[in-house]
Amino acid sequence: MAREYKPRIVTANDLIEGDVVYFTASHNWSRDIGEAVVAWSREAAEQLLAAAQAQENRVVGPYLAETDIGEDNRPQPVHFREVFRTRGPSNYFHGKQAET
Amino acid sequence: MYRYNDFDEAFVRNRVAEFREQVRRRIDGSLTEDEFKPLRLKNGLYLQLHAYMLRVAIPYGTLNSRQMRQLALIAERFDKGYGHFTTRQNIQFNWPRLKDVPDILELLADVEMHSIQTSGNCIRNVTADHFAGAAADEIEDPRPTAELVRQWSTDHPEFQYLPRKFKIAVSGSPNDRAVTKANDIGLRMVRNEAGEPGYEVIVGGGLGRTPMIGKTVREFLPKDDLLPYLEAILQVYNLSGRRDNKYKARIKILVHETGLDELKARIEDAFERQKRAFPGVPADLIRQIEEAFAPPEFENTQSLAYEQAQADNPAFRSFVETNVAEHRNPAYGIVTVSLKPIGGTPGDATAEQMRVLADLAERYGHDELRVSHEQNIILPHVRKADVPTVYAALGEAGLATANIGLLSDIIACPGMDYCSLATARSIPVAQAISKRFDELNLEREIGPLKIKISGCINACGHHHVGHIGILGLDKAGRENYQITLGGDGTESATIGERTGPGFDAEDIVPAIEAIIEAYLALREDASETFLEAYRRLGAEPFKQAIYGENGDKARAA
């Protein structure tokens, strides 16, 4: 049986800064996961990833990550790795958690 | 210390200029990431979870104060004010920006440092005993050998595209502080029956997903034969090492699949050919290297101040017990500075702490510093009379933790807090263990104990050779930690045994506590170390302590 499709977002690292970034509906890149555009189907996800990969002069290594939708209707990370990427390391208060 | 000659200087400067141009072309879009990635990796530049990471080589862990100050400057100007000292005796900067990296490399070149061969399938930064040139038990200083290997291996045209990365470690003492049996090649200095110095050559050690203890391919190799013999090993590996599967590409797999006798025969055959073609290392180069590592001029004057300070100050006495090792000159001590404060991040030092260490090395330590594979910093030559002053200065900088060789002297890789390969975090586990046992005030009662933590199967935290090893994994989207027991990274190297199912993050500290409680209850007396007790008792009582008699006590999964 085919696995149920879970919505996805595209994430990558900024080319110059290395920061974690998310692909937005306007095909820009945001440091805020809440601004990521959500692909609700496999086909939409593939199209989104292809559009992101075309911007390799801005980012490195775009990939699809599963997402939940929070009560505020904004995307949220599912896997703990993606949780860490939204905030920065747990041993110091720096990275994204200190910048937002 | 070895100083760059004109060739070294020009070589490193040219590489910086070349990389500056490559970065410029990546940023302006002339190079794709696929084209650029191998170029940045050749200069030690990775892209990690949150940012780029630059890995800087510290050959055989040896630094002078000028170099340490430059690392501090880089940490402050281009990073977030700290650096991370690693189990490969390197330093990593976790937050550089791509466009700044050429400037960082320029600053490194100013002090005869670089990032070359800190990544890629080449011969990596050569490591050595961190007590080199100072240890009381030393047969010979291993650094001239390590420096010769560094010069031979740097940009060696034949060995730039090996099947996988290749690591060489050198020990000059019978007590192995360089983990020689867990490297691709381990060189242990020995003497033959005639008293001549040479090497025991160990091949095929390594940790990672297939941990193996290296095997001896030569009991005694004369010093003059070192380079042709290394060439022979690398040639055999380069030709026969597997390239079809990166997980089976290390030389340890070749040793395993080919068999030691057959591999030895191939190496000896290649060695005979190499030796005939090898004109020998020029005598003036050997002399130049040996002179660079000549011991400093020691003052052989003893003082009562050292003993008096221990009598007057119990905290200082504790520091001496754990952090000061025996020097070859009885008037001196080897001071290990712990980068493992209780609750801290193993291996991290702030820019300010680096400067304090540089100042102390300059003033009291013959301008020498070492990085250990256990992620601490060593002042190898401190007059005992000066140790109380050094201790006071370390205390002011938050660097006087007296825990070397004890439970909280934990090796931990960066784990998923930084590393893109990691499957779980390491640092918070190390922090939680050190805090918990500080609360229990049991560390000295427990005695010598090595806990090593890796955040993935690649084993950068050397967990396989920890007395207690912890491996972080992803189990169905949750961080999960497996325990191994009985590992040993010394001359009696052993791979630890897995206890059984792993533990969730909130259960790993109680599990470690249960193991320690079992040890304290079962040891013969306080002189029996954890490792000795484990070797006597086997795994069973420790498994019972964490899983219960029916295997259902702890929340292992």
Side-chain angles (χ1 to χ4, degrees), chain A residues 12-20 55-61 63 78-92 94-96 99, chain B residues 26-27 32-34 40 47-52 80 82 95-99 345 348 416-418 420 423-425 427-428 431 473-474 477-479:
Chain A
N13 289 78
D14 182 79
L15 170 65
I16 306 282
E17 310 286 334
D19 289 7
V20 175
Q55 296 199 14
E56 77 156 9
N57 59 335
R58 295 179 67 183
V59 297
V60 182
Y63 65 92
V78 175
H79 192 274
F80 60 85
R81 182 178 192 272
E82 295 305 321
V83 174
F84 303 149
R85 290 180 81 243
T86 63
R87 69 168 190 230
S90 47
N91 60 331
Y92 297 117
H94 57 218
K96 278 176 171 288
E99 290 155 11
Chain B
R26 174 67 183 105
I27 290 172
T32 65
E33 185 60 21
D34 282 349
R40 69 168 157 79
L47 184 60
Q48 296 285 30
L49 207 63
H50 311 292
Y52 288 97
K80 291 185 186 292
Y82 68 99
W95 302 92
R97 295 186 298 179
L98 178 60
K99 67 183 179 60
T345 302
D348 277 10
M416 201 183 269
D417 280 310
Y418 295 89
S420 58
T423 44
R425 291 174 298 173
I427 294 166
Q431 291 173 310
L473 294 168
D474 174 350
R478 288 173 65 87
E479 291 173 288

Side-chain angles (χ1 to χ4, degrees), chain B residues 437 509-519 542 545-546 553:
Chain B
F437 282 89
V509 177
I512 300 302
E513 204 174 321
I515 290 167
I516 299 296
E517 281 170 6
Y519 156 66
F542 299 99
I546 54 176
K553 179 178 160 189

Side-chain angles (χ1 to χ4, degrees), chain B residues 264-518:
Chain B
K264 270 164 86 167
R266 288 192 210 172
I267 291 170
E268 289 296 333
D269 186 48
F271 172 58
E272 282 309 312
R273 274 183 277 116
Q274 279 306 119
K275 198 177 169 185
R276 280 198 296 276
F278 182 63
V281 180
D284 59 338
L285 175 62
I286 295 281
R287 194 176 55 251
Q288 182 196 338
I289 292 174
E290 284 178 351
E291 281 174 7
F293 295 104
E297 284 195 18
F298 295 123
E299 290 175 32
N300 295 311
T301 51
Q302 302 225 28
S303 156
L304 288 176
Y306 183 63
E307 283 72 23
Q308 191 61 51
Q310 289 180 70
D312 294 346
N313 181 351
F316 177 64
R317 189 167 63 243
S318 293
F319 178 82
V320 169
E321 279 169 11
T322 48
N323 294 40
V324 181
E326 208 180 328
H327 194 279
R328 62 207 266 187
N329 184 319
Y332 282 72
I334 304 169
V335 177
T336 299
V337 180
S338 172
L339 297 184
K340 324 284 181 59
I342 300 303
T345 302
D348 277 10
T350 65
E352 191 48 43
Q353 287 175 328
M354 289 186 223
R355 289 197 181 101
V356 167
L357 290 166
D359 290 347
L360 291 173
E362 201 167 52
R363 206 154 163 205
Y364 302 107
H366 295 276
D367 203 24
E368 282 200 38
L369 295 140
R370 308 284 168 71
V371 182
S372 76
H373 79 271
E374 292 176 314
Q375 300 177 289
N376 294 312
I377 300 293
I378 287 96
L379 298 165
H381 312 294
V382 181
R383 237 165 38 106
K384 282 181 177 166
D386 292 328
V387 176
T389 311
V390 168
Y391 171 72
L394 291 172
E396 285 177 24
L399 288 167
T401 311
N403 63 349
I404 298 302
L406 302 180
L407 178 143
S408 63
D409 184 13
I410 298 170
I411 288 181
C413 73
M416 201 183 269
D417 280 310
Y418 295 89
C419 178
S420 58
L421 297 177
T423 44
R425 291 174 298 173
S426 304
I427 294 166
V429 177
Q431 291 173 310
I433 291 171
S434 91
K435 278 185 198 160
R436 176 62 185 150
F437 282 89
D438 188 53
E439 286 164 10
L440 295 171
N441 200 21
L442 271 177
E443 191 165 51
R444 284 181 182 266
E445 171 70 21
I446 296 163
L449 178 66
K450 292 186 186 294
I451 298 180
K452 302 178 195 266
I453 309 173
S454 302
C456 81
I457 204 163
N458 293 310
C460 294
H462 295 183
H463 66 278
H464 294 295
V465 290
H467 302 165
I468 298 176
I470 300 172
L471 167 63
L473 294 168
D474 174 350
K475 187 157 180 140
R478 288 173 65 87
E479 291 173 288
N480 188 266
Y481 296 90
Q482 284 180 357
I483 296 173
T484 52
L485 296 176
D488 172 13
T490 69
E491 61 281 359
S492 48
T494 314
I495 301 296
E497 296 171 75
R498 196 181 143 197
T499 55
F503 293 83
D504 280 347
E506 60 270 28
D507 298 323
I508 185 66
V509 177
I512 300 302
E513 204 174 321
I515 290 167
I516 299 296
E517 281 170 6

Side-chain angles (χ1 to χ4, degrees), chain B residues 27 45 51 111 127 147 173 233 237 335 337 385 442 451 462 484 494 532 547 557:
Chain B
I27 290 172
L45 185 64
V111 294
T127 58
E147 172 57 26
S173 299
I233 296 171
Y237 171 56
V335 177
V337 180
L442 271 177
I451 298 180
H462 295 183
T484 52
T494 314
E532 288 165 347
Y547 299 118

Side-chain angles (χ1 to χ4, degrees), chain A residues 3-51:
Chain A
R3 192 168 160 241
E4 185 193 354
Y5 180 78
K6 296 222 170 121
R8 282 168 167 76
I9 55 175
V10 176
T11 179
N13 289 78
D14 182 79
L15 170 65
I16 306 282
E17 310 286 334
D19 289 7
V20 175
V21 289
Y22 301 93
F23 204 42
T24 67
S26 58
H27 287 199
N28 277 314
W29 294 92
S30 169
R31 280 157 175 72
D32 179 2
I33 190 173
E35 294 180 1
V37 60
V38 179
W40 294 95
S41 70
R42 205 176 307 277
E43 296 72 29
E46 281 167 13
Q47 284 173 12
L48 207 58
L49 181 60

Side-chain angles (χ1 to χ4, degrees), chain B residues 44-317:
Chain B
L45 185 64
Y46 291 72
L47 184 60
Q48 296 285 30
L49 207 63
H50 311 292
Y52 288 97
M53 179 273 279
L54 182 68
R55 181 179 293 152
V56 177
I58 303 175
Y60 34 89
T62 295
L63 284 166
N64 61 26
S65 57
R66 183 165 167 252
Q67 291 170 321
M68 186 65 108
R69 285 197 188 96
Q70 196 79 328
L71 296 177
L73 177 75
I74 292 166
E76 215 162 56
R77 189 179 292 174
F78 295 104
D79 207 274
K80 291 185 186 292
Y82 68 99
H84 176 74
F85 291 96
T86 80
T87 55
R88 289 288 304 164
Q89 296 181 301
N90 296 311
I91 185 170
Q92 293 180 175
F93 293 107
N94 288 317
W95 302 92
R97 295 186 298 179
L98 178 60
K99 67 183 179 60
D100 293 333
V101 173
D103 291 342
I104 298 173
L105 295 179
E106 199 81 56
L107 285 169
L108 290 171
D110 289 346
V111 294
E112 304 177 14
M113 296 183 81
H114 60 74
S115 290
I116 298 163
Q117 291 185 201
T118 59
S119 176
N121 293 338
C122 55
I123 300 170
R124 299 289 189 88
N125 183 40
V126 179
T127 58
D129 182 351
H130 44 264
F131 288 175
D137 61 357
E138 191 167 87
I139 295 167
E140 213 174 274
D141 188 335
R143 289 175 303 162
T145 295
E147 172 57 26
L148 186 64
V149 173
R150 185 190 74 81
Q151 293 194 20
W152 161 78
S153 62
T154 301
D155 221 27
H156 192 305
E158 192 176 347
F159 305 134
Q160 292 301 302
Y161 295 95
L162 294 166
R164 278 287 275 144
K165 58 187 167 183
F166 201 92
K167 299 173 179 177
I168 300 176
V170 192
S171 168
S173 299
N175 296 304
D176 185 357
R177 288 175 288 263
V179 210
T180 56
K181 291 187 176 178
N183 274 264
D184 295 291
I185 294 179
L187 298 172
R188 300 184 65 202
M189 302 205 79
V190 289
R191 288 188 187 278
N192 64 9
E193 285 176 1
E196 296 156 337
Y199 308 100
E200 178 190 355
V201 183
I202 299 158
V203 171
L207 302 177
R209 71 177 56 216
T210 314
M212 289 188 183
I213 298 299
K215 295 183 169 63
T216 300
V217 289
R218 260 297 187 107
E219 296 284 351
F220 183 82
L221 179 76
K223 284 181 78 173
D224 287 348
D225 289 342
L226 179 64
L227 293 189
Y229 200 79
L230 292 180
E231 293 259 2
I233 296 171
L234 267 295
Q235 282 176 354
V236 169
Y237 171 56
N238 207 12
L239 282 169
S240 307
R242 289 181 60 169
R243 292 174 192 265
D244 60 322
N245 181 341
K246 73 179 278 198
Y247 303 114
K248 295 185 176 180
R250 297 289 290 270
I251 196 171
K252 62 188 172 186
I253 304 296
L254 182 65
V255 174
H256 180 70
E257 291 186 347
T258 307
L260 186 61
D261 289 343
E262 168 62 21
L263 197 78
K264 270 164 86 167
R266 288 192 210 172
I267 291 170
E268 289 296 333
D269 186 48
F271 172 58
E272 282 309 312
R273 274 183 277 116
Q274 279 306 119
K275 198 177 169 185
R276 280 198 296 276
F278 182 63
V281 180
D284 59 338
L285 175 62
I286 295 281
R287 194 176 55 251
Q288 182 196 338
I289 292 174
E290 284 178 351
E291 281 174 7
F293 295 104
E297 284 195 18
F298 295 123
E299 290 175 32
N300 295 311
T301 51
Q302 302 225 28
S303 156
L304 288 176
Y306 183 63
E307 283 72 23
Q308 191 61 51
Q310 289 180 70
D312 294 346
N313 181 351
F316 177 64
R317 189 167 63 243

